[in-house]
Amino acid sequence: MSQYRYRIYGLLFLVALVNYIDRGALSFAASAIAQHYDLSKVALGALLGYFGIGYLLGSLCGGFLADRYGTRKIWLIAGICWSCLEIMTAWAGELGISLLGGSALMGFALCRVLFGVSEGPAYALMNKTIAYWAPDHERGAALSIGLLSTQIGAMLTAPIAVGLMLLTGHWQSMFIVLGCCSLLVMIIFAKGFHNRPTDHPRISTTEHRYIVANQKSEEVADDKLAWWQFFTSRTLVCNALGYFSFLYITFTLVTWMPKYLQDTFHYDLHALWYVAMIPWSGAAITVLCGGKISDYLLKRYRNLRLARNLFAVVSLAGAAACFLAIPSVGSAAAVIALMTLGNAFNALINNIYWSVVIDVTPKASVGAYSGMTLAIANSSAIISPMLCGALAEYYGYNAMFWVTGSLAVVSLCAMALLQPEKRVISRQPAVTQSVTSPQL
């Protein structure tokens, strides 16, 4: 039997990896940009948060567009757009000064909002792809491979971004190189990716049958749910709130950790490239382990609440404890160790948020409902950078970690309320057999 589905998982990992490196690069240029354009921490927080506005819109629309037009087409459009906008970021400040009332911040706002719209669909597209390509017993592991891109991408962003800035001597060059590399990756992706096994010419009949035979059958496979039914499901709403906390922690580290380490412990770029990698090292391992653990618990005990709810609660308790403890330690080594451990606990259950959507949603609506989950959760991409900037400016960096740890506690409570065994069913009026086709 062929194993072509693993190539699909690999392509998802590659394109999502590039997606994450592109979005995180700005944080390592933040100090240089703030100095160049004389921006305060509040203004810098706004600059970092503009991405979240577009990301929220893109994640919401991307899922619906994938359900209608297919994931491949939306992947390619989104990838080409974010690659071009990454290149344009090099001149965003000058664009604002020249055309937008003399404000460099407005130039960055325009580029980052559009960039966020382009990157927003990525993880909803990934979830819909895995819903078609992964057998049920591989779903957690397949999601973990794709979601590993978050941790590896965040870890590699530091040496890549800092290396490019040191090599070229200009932060603008970093964005140009990264954007061009993204365009090359999208060409590779276009050649190897197809929406589902039935569309792919290289997958064997045996593997196709194996995938279909090991996926949960649905009574009405093509029955799409109304968008508003998302909010009638306690599980979907609580899952989205739980994911909000996960992304809040992630965006706090992605956007403000480099600046925090520079301001608090006086790391320069020559040290930052490897120090900023450390908090992501544990998460890169646990995000893979989490999928395996979730799959094992489900296979061993046949209990979705054990594999989803309890697993999430225990992991989030660990994350909350670590971030709440950061203000009480004073050394750089202790702070980085707590960040690393807290982020590892947070990443351990990353696959659960996506698995729950597939657990309770028909395949025809997985893209849309994944997008709605992302849209709710991705409000953290706006709130986290802006709130952290304000907290750091007026109350100090410790307040930033108190809020982060408290949100992990809120997420813990939300995930305890999941009912992943209860599928969402259509409440549309059924079409009876007596209805005849209209005359042409």
Side-chain angles (χ1 to χ4, degrees):
M1 182 178 68
S2 67
Q3 303 290 323
Y4 206 88
R5 63 189 183 281
Y6 293 110
R7 298 190 187 183
I8 299 298
Y9 304 160
L11 286 172
L12 292 177
F13 170 81
L14 177 63
V15 74
L17 176 71
V18 170
N19 174 290
Y20 221 87
I21 291 173
D22 285 351
R23 80 176 65 171
L26 182 67
S27 300
F28 291 90
S31 290
I33 292 172
Q35 184 177 5
H36 187 85
Y37 295 107
D38 193 25
L39 301 177
S40 67
K41 288 180 181 176
V42 174
L44 188 59
L47 187 155
L48 294 168
Y50 289 134
F51 168 84
I53 298 172
Y55 196 58
L56 187 154
L57 296 173
S59 60
L60 178 62
C61 298
F64 285 97
L65 291 172
D67 284 342
R68 182 165 185 177
Y69 298 108
T71 52
R72 185 177 186 273
K73 183 178 293 185
I74 306 304
W75 267 122
L76 292 176
I77 293 172
I80 291 170
C81 288
W82 88 56
S83 300
C84 293
L85 286 162
E86 180 80 352
I87 295 171
M88 287 180 59
T89 306
W91 298 283
E94 283 65 29
L95 175 67
I97 292 171
S98 302
L99 302 177
L100 299 173
S103 172
L105 191 60
M106 287 299 97
F108 279 104
L110 177 62
C111 283
R112 292 298 285 181
V113 169
L114 293 175
F115 182 72
V117 171
S118 301
E119 288 216 330
Y123 289 91
L125 297 177
M126 180 189 297
N127 210 34
K128 187 172 180 67
T129 300
I130 288 173
Y132 280 106
W133 276 92
D136 287 352
H137 62 276
E138 289 182 4
R139 185 188 304 159
L143 281 168
S144 292
I145 292 172
L147 296 173
L148 178 63
S149 61
T150 301
Q151 319 306 328
I152 297 295
M155 186 166 63
L156 293 181
T157 301
I160 290 173
V162 173
L164 287 172
M165 285 191 290
L166 291 174
L167 182 65
T168 63
H170 300 284
W171 58 266
Q172 292 95 333
S173 302
M174 174 189 69
F175 292 108
I176 297 170
V177 173
L178 289 176
C180 291
C181 290
S182 295
L183 287 173
L184 291 176
V185 168
M186 294 315 301
I187 293 173
I188 296 171
F189 184 83
K191 291 183 177 181
F193 183 83
H194 288 266
N195 291 331
R196 61 184 78 186
T198 52
D199 300 333
H200 210 300
R202 295 185 183 178
I203 188 172
S204 68
T205 303
T206 304
E207 184 178 12
H208 181 210
R209 289 175 179 171
Y210 176 79
I211 294 171
V212 173
N214 287 279
Q215 289 182 335
K216 180 165 46 182
S217 61
E218 297 174 359
E219 292 183 5
V220 187
D222 296 322
D223 191 16
K224 288 187 179 182
L225 301 176
W227 68 268
W228 52 265
Q229 284 190 244
F230 180 96
F231 298 99
T232 67
S233 169
R234 185 176 88 182
T235 296
L236 288 171
V237 172
C238 288
N239 186 59
L241 293 176
Y243 196 42
F244 171 91
S245 175
F246 169 84
L247 288 180
Y248 185 94
I249 293 172
T250 300
F251 278 107
T252 296
L253 295 177
V254 167
T255 57
W256 276 98
M257 181 183 62
K259 180 69 171 169
Y260 164 74
L261 293 175
Q262 286 176 306
D263 291 350
T264 306
F265 301 110
H266 310 294
Y267 289 113
D268 60 14
L269 287 178
H270 294 84
L272 195 62
W273 76 264
Y274 65 87
V275 173
M277 293 175 65
I278 298 173
W280 302 99
S281 57
I285 298 171
T286 58
V287 72
L288 284 176
C289 294
K292 291 289 187 181
I293 293 171
S294 183
D295 283 347
Y296 169 78
L297 291 173
L298 184 57
K299 183 178 180 180
R300 174 69 175 81
Y301 298 102
R302 301 288 180 180
N303 189 322
L304 276 170
R305 292 205 182 195
L306 178 64
R308 309 293 191 237
N309 304 43
L310 182 60
F311 184 29
V313 166
V314 172
S315 187
L316 286 166
C322 291
F323 283 103
L324 289 172
I326 287 177
S328 65
V329 300
S331 69
V335 167
I336 292 172
L338 285 171
M339 279 185 181
T340 304
L341 187 59
N343 196 31
F345 276 121
N346 192 47
L348 187 63
I349 58 168
N350 191 0
N351 74 92
I352 287 181
Y353 305 111
W354 299 100
S355 294
V356 167
V357 177
I358 300 176
D359 287 337
V360 303
T361 307
K363 287 181 187 175
S365 295
V366 165
Y369 279 19
S370 296
M372 293 175 72
T373 300
L374 266 175
I376 294 170
N378 278 336
S379 59
S380 62
I382 306 169
I383 297 170
S384 172
M386 293 184 178
L387 179 58
C388 287
L391 291 171
E393 181 79 22
Y394 300 116
Y395 302 101
Y397 281 112
N398 282 344
M400 180 175 79
F401 294 111
W402 287 328
V403 171
T404 302
S406 299
L407 282 173
V409 175
V410 173
S411 178
L412 182 157
C413 296
M415 297 303 285
L417 296 174
L418 297 183
Q419 297 174 304
E421 74 283 357
K422 294 181 65 175
R423 290 182 65 80
V424 184
I425 59 174
S426 176
R427 298 187 182 182
Q428 303 280 358
V431 180
T432 64
Q433 295 295 325
S434 61
V435 176
T436 58
S437 300
Q439 295 295 319
L440 299 177

